[in-house]
Amino acid sequence: MFSGNSEWRSFVEQEMGPDFFKDLAKGQSPKLLWIGCADSRVPETIVMAAKPGDIFVHRNIANQFHLSDDSARSVLTYAVDNLNVQTIAVVGHTKCGGAAACLGASREPAPENAGETALGRWLGPMTELARNLDLDTIPEDQALDKLVEENVRAQVANVIKTDTIQNAWKNGKDVVVHGWVFEIEHGKIRDLGISATRNSAV
């Protein structure tokens, strides 16, 4: 692990110059807030070919943005109000284990103890979303892809509902909220075409 860090540090200094880290230590001005999944196969800086300092990040299981989650809302508020980030992307991905778990759970009666574990409580809203999508009529792989996309739509809608975004728009800030899906099998980010600005809504 540490040898990898040494190799990376040397590579960055060669590519960006010997003063890159000194300059980085002076502060950050990221252009993008990435709200994504904790999956190890979706490293936002790498898939966006970005440099340290380019992307402000919040990641969790199945790229959720619960309105009751102070962690997610704090990240959003700091990004918009303090760092003046104007581009926000909720990013789901194909082959998502969290989405697959919710899809499976949606096909069974909800157990009485579903809310007794942290993971059960966290994924509860997505499991309910899966139940409401009537996904039993389509093949399994298509059902999972559909759930991933609809989950991104739901989380974009949640981000837009926050006082952070509403106040930013009222104050004339050109904050844009996007919904994307990273296709692991292709290494490609796909825009779902649901972007919202102060002049439009999802």
PDB file of all heavy atoms in Angstrom, residues 94-95 103 107 133-150 190:
ATOM      1  N   THR A  94     -23.576   0.290 -13.009  1.00  0.00           N
ATOM      2  CA  THR A  94     -24.051  -1.051 -13.327  1.00  0.00           C
ATOM      3  C   THR A  94     -23.395  -2.067 -12.390  1.00  0.00           C
ATOM      4  O   THR A  94     -22.376  -1.807 -11.765  1.00  0.00           O
ATOM      5  CB  THR A  94     -23.722  -1.410 -14.783  1.00  0.00           C
ATOM      6  OG1 THR A  94     -22.310  -1.270 -14.997  1.00  0.00           O
ATOM      7  CG2 THR A  94     -24.463  -0.491 -15.760  1.00  0.00           C
ATOM      8  N   LYS A  95     -24.018  -3.227 -12.292  1.00  0.00           N
ATOM      9  CA  LYS A  95     -23.508  -4.320 -11.451  1.00  0.00           C
ATOM     10  C   LYS A  95     -23.391  -3.898  -9.979  1.00  0.00           C
ATOM     11  O   LYS A  95     -22.498  -4.358  -9.253  1.00  0.00           O
ATOM     12  CB  LYS A  95     -22.155  -4.834 -11.952  1.00  0.00           C
ATOM     13  CG  LYS A  95     -22.049  -5.014 -13.453  1.00  0.00           C
ATOM     14  CD  LYS A  95     -23.107  -5.930 -14.022  1.00  0.00           C
ATOM     15  CE  LYS A  95     -22.974  -6.073 -15.544  1.00  0.00           C
ATOM     16  NZ  LYS A  95     -24.070  -6.859 -16.145  1.00  0.00           N
ATOM     17  N   LEU A 103     -33.118  -5.353  -5.079  1.00  0.00           N
ATOM     18  CA  LEU A 103     -33.968  -6.027  -6.054  1.00  0.00           C
ATOM     19  C   LEU A 103     -34.406  -7.384  -5.510  1.00  0.00           C
ATOM     20  O   LEU A 103     -35.593  -7.751  -5.586  1.00  0.00           O
ATOM     21  CB  LEU A 103     -33.221  -6.201  -7.370  1.00  0.00           C
ATOM     22  CG  LEU A 103     -33.984  -6.859  -8.513  1.00  0.00           C
ATOM     23  CD1 LEU A 103     -35.227  -6.049  -8.883  1.00  0.00           C
ATOM     24  CD2 LEU A 103     -33.076  -7.032  -9.734  1.00  0.00           C
ATOM     25  N   ARG A 107     -38.570  -8.754  -3.808  1.00  0.00           N
ATOM     26  CA  ARG A 107     -39.361  -9.880  -4.296  1.00  0.00           C
ATOM     27  C   ARG A 107     -39.811 -10.808  -3.182  1.00  0.00           C
ATOM     28  O   ARG A 107     -40.432 -11.831  -3.439  1.00  0.00           O
ATOM     29  CB  ARG A 107     -38.549 -10.642  -5.346  1.00  0.00           C
ATOM     30  CG  ARG A 107     -38.348  -9.814  -6.611  1.00  0.00           C
ATOM     31  CD  ARG A 107     -37.356 -10.419  -7.563  1.00  0.00           C
ATOM     32  NE  ARG A 107     -37.355  -9.698  -8.836  1.00  0.00           N
ATOM     33  CZ  ARG A 107     -36.420  -9.810  -9.766  1.00  0.00           C
ATOM     34  NH1 ARG A 107     -35.397 -10.630  -9.550  1.00  0.00           N
ATOM     35  NH2 ARG A 107     -36.495  -9.119 -10.883  1.00  0.00           N
ATOM     36  N   LEU A 133     -41.612  -0.597  -8.805  1.00  0.00           N
ATOM     37  CA  LEU A 133     -41.270  -0.493 -10.223  1.00  0.00           C
ATOM     38  C   LEU A 133     -41.793  -1.658 -11.068  1.00  0.00           C
ATOM     39  O   LEU A 133     -41.640  -1.637 -12.288  1.00  0.00           O
ATOM     40  CB  LEU A 133     -39.746  -0.395 -10.391  1.00  0.00           C
ATOM     41  CG  LEU A 133     -39.109   0.925  -9.954  1.00  0.00           C
ATOM     42  CD1 LEU A 133     -37.586   0.844 -10.032  1.00  0.00           C
ATOM     43  CD2 LEU A 133     -39.626   2.087 -10.802  1.00  0.00           C
ATOM     44  N   ASP A 134     -42.352  -2.671 -10.443  1.00  0.00           N
ATOM     45  CA  ASP A 134     -42.890  -3.822 -11.169  1.00  0.00           C
ATOM     46  C   ASP A 134     -41.832  -4.424 -12.099  1.00  0.00           C
ATOM     47  O   ASP A 134     -42.025  -4.551 -13.312  1.00  0.00           O
ATOM     48  CB  ASP A 134     -44.137  -3.407 -11.980  1.00  0.00           C
ATOM     49  CG  ASP A 134     -44.894  -4.617 -12.518  1.00  0.00           C
ATOM     50  OD1 ASP A 134     -44.769  -5.715 -11.932  1.00  0.00           O
ATOM     51  OD2 ASP A 134     -45.595  -4.468 -13.542  1.00  0.00           O
ATOM     52  N   LEU A 135     -40.703  -4.799 -11.514  1.00  0.00           N
ATOM     53  CA  LEU A 135     -39.563  -5.269 -12.290  1.00  0.00           C
ATOM     54  C   LEU A 135     -39.596  -6.762 -12.587  1.00  0.00           C
ATOM     55  O   LEU A 135     -38.712  -7.279 -13.275  1.00  0.00           O
ATOM     56  CB  LEU A 135     -38.262  -4.918 -11.559  1.00  0.00           C
ATOM     57  CG  LEU A 135     -38.014  -3.414 -11.378  1.00  0.00           C
ATOM     58  CD1 LEU A 135     -36.777  -3.188 -10.506  1.00  0.00           C
ATOM     59  CD2 LEU A 135     -37.846  -2.720 -12.721  1.00  0.00           C
ATOM     60  N   ASP A 136     -40.596  -7.477 -12.086  1.00  0.00           N
ATOM     61  CA  ASP A 136     -40.673  -8.917 -12.307  1.00  0.00           C
ATOM     62  C   ASP A 136     -40.987  -9.279 -13.753  1.00  0.00           C
ATOM     63  O   ASP A 136     -40.824 -10.438 -14.152  1.00  0.00           O
ATOM     64  CB  ASP A 136     -41.743  -9.535 -11.401  1.00  0.00           C
ATOM     65  CG  ASP A 136     -41.327  -9.510  -9.938  1.00  0.00           C
ATOM     66  OD1 ASP A 136     -40.111  -9.450  -9.678  1.00  0.00           O
ATOM     67  OD2 ASP A 136     -42.212  -9.547  -9.072  1.00  0.00           O
ATOM     68  N   THR A 137     -41.437  -8.317 -14.537  1.00  0.00           N
ATOM     69  CA  THR A 137     -41.861  -8.605 -15.909  1.00  0.00           C
ATOM     70  C   THR A 137     -40.720  -8.513 -16.917  1.00  0.00           C
ATOM     71  O   THR A 137     -40.931  -8.757 -18.103  1.00  0.00           O
ATOM     72  CB  THR A 137     -42.985  -7.642 -16.331  1.00  0.00           C
ATOM     73  OG1 THR A 137     -42.490  -6.297 -16.248  1.00  0.00           O
ATOM     74  CG2 THR A 137     -44.186  -7.789 -15.406  1.00  0.00           C
ATOM     75  N   ILE A 138     -39.517  -8.147 -16.468  1.00  0.00           N
ATOM     76  CA  ILE A 138     -38.394  -8.003 -17.398  1.00  0.00           C
ATOM     77  C   ILE A 138     -37.218  -8.863 -16.914  1.00  0.00           C
ATOM     78  O   ILE A 138     -37.146  -9.234 -15.744  1.00  0.00           O
ATOM     79  CB  ILE A 138     -37.954  -6.534 -17.550  1.00  0.00           C
ATOM     80  CG1 ILE A 138     -37.546  -5.939 -16.189  1.00  0.00           C
ATOM     81  CG2 ILE A 138     -39.059  -5.706 -18.179  1.00  0.00           C
ATOM     82  CD1 ILE A 138     -37.064  -4.503 -16.279  1.00  0.00           C
ATOM     83  N   PRO A 139     -36.288  -9.219 -17.823  1.00  0.00           N
ATOM     84  CA  PRO A 139     -35.151 -10.058 -17.445  1.00  0.00           C
ATOM     85  C   PRO A 139     -34.340  -9.447 -16.297  1.00  0.00           C
ATOM     86  O   PRO A 139     -34.319  -8.221 -16.115  1.00  0.00           O
ATOM     87  CB  PRO A 139     -34.320 -10.120 -18.729  1.00  0.00           C
ATOM     88  CG  PRO A 139     -35.311  -9.894 -19.824  1.00  0.00           C
ATOM     89  CD  PRO A 139     -36.304  -8.916 -19.266  1.00  0.00           C
ATOM     90  N   GLU A 140     -33.660 -10.309 -15.557  1.00  0.00           N
ATOM     91  CA  GLU A 140     -32.953  -9.905 -14.341  1.00  0.00           C
ATOM     92  C   GLU A 140     -31.943  -8.782 -14.590  1.00  0.00           C
ATOM     93  O   GLU A 140     -31.886  -7.815 -13.839  1.00  0.00           O
ATOM     94  CB  GLU A 140     -32.233 -11.118 -13.741  1.00  0.00           C
ATOM     95  CG  GLU A 140     -31.587 -10.861 -12.406  1.00  0.00           C
ATOM     96  CD  GLU A 140     -32.587 -10.836 -11.259  1.00  0.00           C
ATOM     97  OE1 GLU A 140     -33.774 -11.154 -11.489  1.00  0.00           O
ATOM     98  OE2 GLU A 140     -32.176 -10.498 -10.138  1.00  0.00           O
ATOM     99  N   ASP A 141     -31.127  -8.912 -15.642  1.00  0.00           N
ATOM    100  CA  ASP A 141     -30.105  -7.898 -15.883  1.00  0.00           C
ATOM    101  C   ASP A 141     -30.737  -6.559 -16.231  1.00  0.00           C
ATOM    102  O   ASP A 141     -30.263  -5.494 -15.808  1.00  0.00           O
ATOM    103  CB  ASP A 141     -29.133  -8.343 -16.976  1.00  0.00           C
ATOM    104  CG  ASP A 141     -29.815  -8.688 -18.287  1.00  0.00           C
ATOM    105  OD1 ASP A 141     -31.052  -8.893 -18.295  1.00  0.00           O
ATOM    106  OD2 ASP A 141     -29.118  -8.760 -19.323  1.00  0.00           O
ATOM    107  N   GLN A 142     -31.832  -6.589 -16.998  1.00  0.00           N
ATOM    108  CA  GLN A 142     -32.531  -5.361 -17.335  1.00  0.00           C
ATOM    109  C   GLN A 142     -33.211  -4.755 -16.111  1.00  0.00           C
ATOM    110  O   GLN A 142     -33.261  -3.532 -15.952  1.00  0.00           O
ATOM    111  CB  GLN A 142     -33.573  -5.618 -18.427  1.00  0.00           C
ATOM    112  CG  GLN A 142     -32.975  -6.007 -19.768  1.00  0.00           C
ATOM    113  CD  GLN A 142     -34.051  -6.262 -20.815  1.00  0.00           C
ATOM    114  OE1 GLN A 142     -35.154  -5.744 -20.742  1.00  0.00           O
ATOM    115  NE2 GLN A 142     -33.713  -7.082 -21.802  1.00  0.00           N
ATOM    116  N   ALA A 143     -33.727  -5.621 -15.252  1.00  0.00           N
ATOM    117  CA  ALA A 143     -34.362  -5.147 -14.024  1.00  0.00           C
ATOM    118  C   ALA A 143     -33.356  -4.423 -13.141  1.00  0.00           C
ATOM    119  O   ALA A 143     -33.660  -3.360 -12.572  1.00  0.00           O
ATOM    120  CB  ALA A 143     -34.990  -6.312 -13.265  1.00  0.00           C
ATOM    121  N   LEU A 144     -32.162  -4.973 -13.027  1.00  0.00           N
ATOM    122  CA  LEU A 144     -31.128  -4.339 -12.207  1.00  0.00           C
ATOM    123  C   LEU A 144     -30.713  -2.998 -12.806  1.00  0.00           C
ATOM    124  O   LEU A 144     -30.578  -1.997 -12.080  1.00  0.00           O
ATOM    125  CB  LEU A 144     -29.910  -5.259 -12.086  1.00  0.00           C
ATOM    126  CG  LEU A 144     -28.778  -4.749 -11.200  1.00  0.00           C
ATOM    127  CD1 LEU A 144     -29.270  -4.438  -9.787  1.00  0.00           C
ATOM    128  CD2 LEU A 144     -27.630  -5.756 -11.161  1.00  0.00           C
ATOM    129  N   ASP A 145     -30.521  -2.953 -14.117  1.00  0.00           N
ATOM    130  CA  ASP A 145     -30.162  -1.688 -14.768  1.00  0.00           C
ATOM    131  C   ASP A 145     -31.256  -0.638 -14.573  1.00  0.00           C
ATOM    132  O   ASP A 145     -30.958   0.546 -14.338  1.00  0.00           O
ATOM    133  CB  ASP A 145     -29.933  -1.905 -16.271  1.00  0.00           C
ATOM    134  CG  ASP A 145     -28.641  -2.661 -16.566  1.00  0.00           C
ATOM    135  OD1 ASP A 145     -27.797  -2.780 -15.657  1.00  0.00           O
ATOM    136  OD2 ASP A 145     -28.482  -3.130 -17.710  1.00  0.00           O
ATOM    137  N   LYS A 146     -32.503  -1.076 -14.669  1.00  0.00           N
ATOM    138  CA  LYS A 146     -33.625  -0.160 -14.485  1.00  0.00           C
ATOM    139  C   LYS A 146     -33.643   0.396 -13.072  1.00  0.00           C
ATOM    140  O   LYS A 146     -33.848   1.597 -12.858  1.00  0.00           O
ATOM    141  CB  LYS A 146     -34.939  -0.888 -14.787  1.00  0.00           C
ATOM    142  CG  LYS A 146     -36.199  -0.048 -14.594  1.00  0.00           C
ATOM    143  CD  LYS A 146     -36.318   1.043 -15.641  1.00  0.00           C
ATOM    144  CE  LYS A 146     -37.671   1.740 -15.566  1.00  0.00           C
ATOM    145  NZ  LYS A 146     -37.783   2.844 -16.542  1.00  0.00           N
ATOM    146  N   LEU A 147     -33.414  -0.463 -12.095  1.00  0.00           N
ATOM    147  CA  LEU A 147     -33.405  -0.016 -10.704  1.00  0.00           C
ATOM    148  C   LEU A 147     -32.267   0.969 -10.462  1.00  0.00           C
ATOM    149  O   LEU A 147     -32.450   1.981  -9.776  1.00  0.00           O
ATOM    150  CB  LEU A 147     -33.284  -1.214  -9.762  1.00  0.00           C
ATOM    151  CG  LEU A 147     -33.224  -0.883  -8.265  1.00  0.00           C
ATOM    152  CD1 LEU A 147     -34.438  -0.072  -7.833  1.00  0.00           C
ATOM    153  CD2 LEU A 147     -33.111  -2.164  -7.446  1.00  0.00           C
ATOM    154  N   VAL A 148     -31.103   0.691 -11.009  1.00  0.00           N
ATOM    155  CA  VAL A 148     -29.966   1.604 -10.865  1.00  0.00           C
ATOM    156  C   VAL A 148     -30.319   2.986 -11.407  1.00  0.00           C
ATOM    157  O   VAL A 148     -30.060   4.015 -10.763  1.00  0.00           O
ATOM    158  CB  VAL A 148     -28.720   1.035 -11.585  1.00  0.00           C
ATOM    159  CG1 VAL A 148     -27.649   2.110 -11.755  1.00  0.00           C
ATOM    160  CG2 VAL A 148     -28.159  -0.148 -10.814  1.00  0.00           C
ATOM    161  N   GLU A 149     -30.936   3.027 -12.585  1.00  0.00           N
ATOM    162  CA  GLU A 149     -31.301   4.310 -13.192  1.00  0.00           C
ATOM    163  C   GLU A 149     -32.371   5.029 -12.383  1.00  0.00           C
ATOM    164  O   GLU A 149     -32.277   6.244 -12.142  1.00  0.00           O
ATOM    165  CB  GLU A 149     -31.786   4.088 -14.627  1.00  0.00           C
ATOM    166  CG  GLU A 149     -30.702   3.643 -15.585  1.00  0.00           C
ATOM    167  CD  GLU A 149     -31.221   3.514 -17.013  1.00  0.00           C
ATOM    168  OE1 GLU A 149     -32.384   3.908 -17.268  1.00  0.00           O
ATOM    169  OE2 GLU A 149     -30.458   3.027 -17.872  1.00  0.00           O
ATOM    170  N   GLU A 150     -33.394   4.289 -11.967  1.00  0.00           N
ATOM    171  CA  GLU A 150     -34.483   4.925 -11.221  1.00  0.00           C
ATOM    172  C   GLU A 150     -34.010   5.393  -9.849  1.00  0.00           C
ATOM    173  O   GLU A 150     -34.497   6.402  -9.326  1.00  0.00           O
ATOM    174  CB  GLU A 150     -35.660   3.955 -11.080  1.00  0.00           C
ATOM    175  CG  GLU A 150     -36.369   3.663 -12.396  1.00  0.00           C
ATOM    176  CD  GLU A 150     -36.891   4.929 -13.069  1.00  0.00           C
ATOM    177  OE1 GLU A 150     -37.446   5.794 -12.367  1.00  0.00           O
ATOM    178  OE2 GLU A 150     -36.726   5.055 -14.301  1.00  0.00           O
ATOM    179  N   ARG A 190     -22.556   7.436 -18.480  1.00  0.00           N
ATOM    180  CA  ARG A 190     -23.711   7.759 -19.316  1.00  0.00           C
ATOM    181  C   ARG A 190     -24.594   8.784 -18.612  1.00  0.00           C
ATOM    182  O   ARG A 190     -24.986   8.606 -17.458  1.00  0.00           O
ATOM    183  CB  ARG A 190     -24.502   6.483 -19.618  1.00  0.00           C
ATOM    184  CG  ARG A 190     -25.777   6.695 -20.417  1.00  0.00           C
ATOM    185  CD  ARG A 190     -26.252   5.365 -21.006  1.00  0.00           C
ATOM    186  NE  ARG A 190     -26.282   4.299 -20.013  1.00  0.00           N
ATOM    187  CZ  ARG A 190     -27.352   4.018 -19.243  1.00  0.00           C
ATOM    188  NH1 ARG A 190     -28.461   4.744 -19.343  1.00  0.00           N
ATOM    189  NH2 ARG A 190     -27.321   3.010 -18.374  1.00  0.00           N
TER     190      ARG A 190
END
